[in-house]
Amino acid sequence: MAEMLIGGEWHAATGGKTLDVIDPANEETVGSVPSGSPDDVDRAVAAAAAAFPGWAKTDAEQRAEIVRTACERIGDASERIVDTLVHEQGKPTAEARGELQHFIHGLRYYAELATKLQGAYQPLPSTLGESYGLVIRRPVGVVAAIVPSNYPLTLMGTKVGPALVAGNTVVVKPASTTPLTALIVGELFQEAGLPPGVLNVVTGRGAAIGDALVGHPQVRRVAFTGETETGRRVMEIAGPQLKRATLELGGSDPVIICPDADLIRAAKAVLIGRLWNAGQSCLAGKRVYVFAEVYDRVLEQLLAQIERYEPGEGWLKPEKPKIRIGPVHTVHQRETLLAQVEDSRARGAEILFGGTAPERSCKGYFMVPTLVAEAPDDARVVTEETFGPVLPIFKVADMDEAIARANNTRYGLGSSVWTHDSRLIHRAAHELDTGMTWVNQIHYGYDELPFGGVKDSGIGREHGSEGLNHYTELKSVVVGGLS
Ligand code: NAD
């Protein structure tokens, strides 16, 4: 059994309880971890608080060096990490490798930024005597990093990387279903020379330890990624305590395909984006609005491509030209997806492909990639996030209709437009109510660009230098007594 990392040591849960980790592809037990309690959270936060003063004073270059060394160790352990990720999350090996690479890239990016955090010098009026002002940046303190199940590595990296290089200490809480990779990363950071208590990993169910972690008085900063409803709960607890919080939540990204678009590229990109990670990405085109004059051609391309996707175990390579798609992460998630598709069918939509679990005699939470045409605007595939391989497609008359329907959602994470017409690009950039818009590109979170949502998709930004700034507090210092 794996153990939790608290204060540089490995611990079982205080109550001795454990939690099995299940492989979504075959429903077998992959491992087990401590099922933590609020007492374990207390211990981890106390360790992080004790480590904070020393880490905050550590030279930024030295902090960056430890993160770089950790990246090397993580790279050296890539086969072990990828294998664990495939089995605990369900994603295909090639996608797990991609996630690991993205994770390392993000950590290195923040290691490079560690020495580039800047303050300011400000001349001041001499009203109260000669003086000048400095604006300095200080780390916030203990950070709670709450990570979801779909990208257990990269979404831990977007929190741990900037938090550590800015001088904070961290308590990571991985999703209860994907804790194993986080524990390996914790181990490798220790081996890289991270002082005890700077990075702690507490495992267990969100319902059992989430409130205790978010509400802990010594946690000053909460970095959360997950479902909108869980984010709301996090905010209910963090808000009254005036904690610094970023919330990266659910999405229902619209894609608009205009008549002049490269339709083959657009259709291919939409499907790759939608079916990557078995459709379990926050960022992914989840509603496709196609101009009427090219609708049939786009549909034709989508249908030709979608049948290449073959549900199967992530560790088995498919025969070319098939493309592997893994299972969805939980049986509950698959039930929700099937119910969302059934709701569309009942409301008059046409299920052009899929809409069922595959006919397999073996176990696993697989689902056939699904294409749904013309669901009405009140159908669940429109109003809710579809967190799996379901792609609804709609016909629109023009850009006014496309933008109005694209914005008709409580979500506002990403969006994209496929056109070379600069007037339409300008409209999409300015009028789509989302945190990001891609033009002729797959929805993808670059480490270098601020990333996050509006409306029910969240608060605050991760990635980029903005992401790093969120792990610091500005402080103004007035220096007087100069003469
Ligand atoms: P989830 O909300 O079920 O879980 C996320 C994390 O919150 C887990 O670690 C969970 O244990 C924890 N948690 C549960 N209850 C808690 C509580 N009361 N207090 C504190 N933490 C608690 O989400 P998931 O199913 O793991 O992830 C999928 C969701 O995440 C989707 O909605 C997806 O769109 C969203 N997501 C958003 C982004 C983004 O950047 N905007 C990125 C990835 C995923």
Side-chain angles (χ1 to χ4, degrees), residues 146-151 155 173-176 204-207 210-211 214 224-228 230 233-234 248-251 281-282 286 385 387 413 451 457 462:
I146 303 178
V147 183
S149 55
N150 57 343
Y151 293 103
L155 298 172
K173 199 210 88 52
S176 56
R205 290 191 197 284
D211 287 7
V214 174
F224 173 84
T225 304
E227 278 184 32
T228 297
T230 322
R233 173 76 191 147
V234 165
E248 296 291 349
L249 310 177
S281 300
C282 51
K286 294 180 184 153
E385 178 178 39
F387 205 56
L413 195 54
F451 161 79
S457 289
E462 290 192 329

Side-chain angles (χ1 to χ4, degrees), residues 8-163:
E9 290 173 356
W10 297 95
H11 291 270
T14 313
K17 284 192 189 159
T18 60
L19 203 59
D20 284 344
V21 180
I22 306 298
D23 186 330
N26 56 19
E27 301 173 46
E28 285 176 13
T29 301
V30 187
S32 73
V33 294
S35 183
S37 67
D39 287 344
D40 299 308
V41 169
D42 277 349
R43 284 196 294 165
V45 175
F52 175 66
W55 184 244
K57 282 199 192 115
T58 301
D59 187 68
E61 185 52 51
Q62 205 180 329
R63 293 199 295 251
E65 195 48 38
I66 293 175
V67 172
R68 278 190 212 105
T69 308
C71 288
E72 278 165 32
R73 301 262 170 165
I74 291 165
D76 292 344
S78 59
E79 281 315 302
R80 176 182 168 211
I81 297 173
V82 164
D83 187 59
T84 306
L85 185 56
V86 167
H87 284 285
E88 72 172 347
Q89 205 285 329
K91 62 186 72 197
T93 304
E95 294 185 16
R97 286 210 181 98
E99 180 172 350
L100 180 67
Q101 259 174 20
H102 193 170
F103 173 57
I104 295 174
H105 179 272
L107 290 178
R108 286 194 198 283
Y109 172 79
Y110 281 111
E112 292 311 310
L113 282 191
T115 54
K116 294 168 190 71
L117 265 174
Q118 288 191 333
Y121 165 83
Q122 177 64 50
L124 294 175
S126 56
T127 326
L128 300 173
E130 193 187 345
S131 59
Y132 62 87
L134 296 175
V135 183
I136 62 171
R137 284 190 182 275
R138 305 166 70 223
V140 185
V142 177
V143 173
I146 303 178
V147 183
S149 55
N150 57 343
Y151 293 103
L153 284 174
T154 48
L155 298 172
M156 176 171 54
T158 53
K159 299 163 181 55
V160 166

Side-chain angles (χ1 to χ4, degrees), residues 275-323:
L275 301 182
W276 191 264
N277 210 29
Q280 303 159 109
S281 300
C282 51
L283 281 183
K286 294 180 184 153
R287 293 173 292 136
V288 181
Y289 296 98
V290 185
F291 278 56
E293 51 264 60
V294 290
Y295 180 85
D296 288 345
R297 279 156 63 202
V298 171
L299 212 54
E300 198 182 299
Q301 288 298 327
L302 290 173
L303 283 167
Q305 293 292 331
I306 202 167
E307 55 182 33
R308 290 179 61 200
Y309 285 83
E310 183 183 76
E313 292 82 350
W315 57 90
L316 295 180
K317 257 193 167 174
E319 298 253 336
K320 278 187 179 165
K322 292 284 182 195
I323 302 169

Side-chain angles (χ1 to χ4, degrees), residues 200-258:
N200 308 275
V201 183
V202 177
T203 56
R205 290 191 197 284
I209 57 174
D211 287 7
L213 180 57
V214 174
H216 197 292
Q218 282 182 294
V219 168
R220 298 277 303 275
R221 164 81 167 86
V222 179
F224 173 84
T225 304
E227 278 184 32
T228 297
E229 289 320 310
T230 322
R232 244 186 261 289
R233 173 76 191 147
V234 165
M235 204 56 177
E236 268 171 26
I237 295 175
Q241 294 190 39
L242 309 179
K243 295 188 188 225
R244 304 286 174 268
T246 44
L247 303 177
E248 296 291 349
L249 310 177
S252 180
D253 292 8
V255 177
I256 300 176
I257 303 182
C258 304

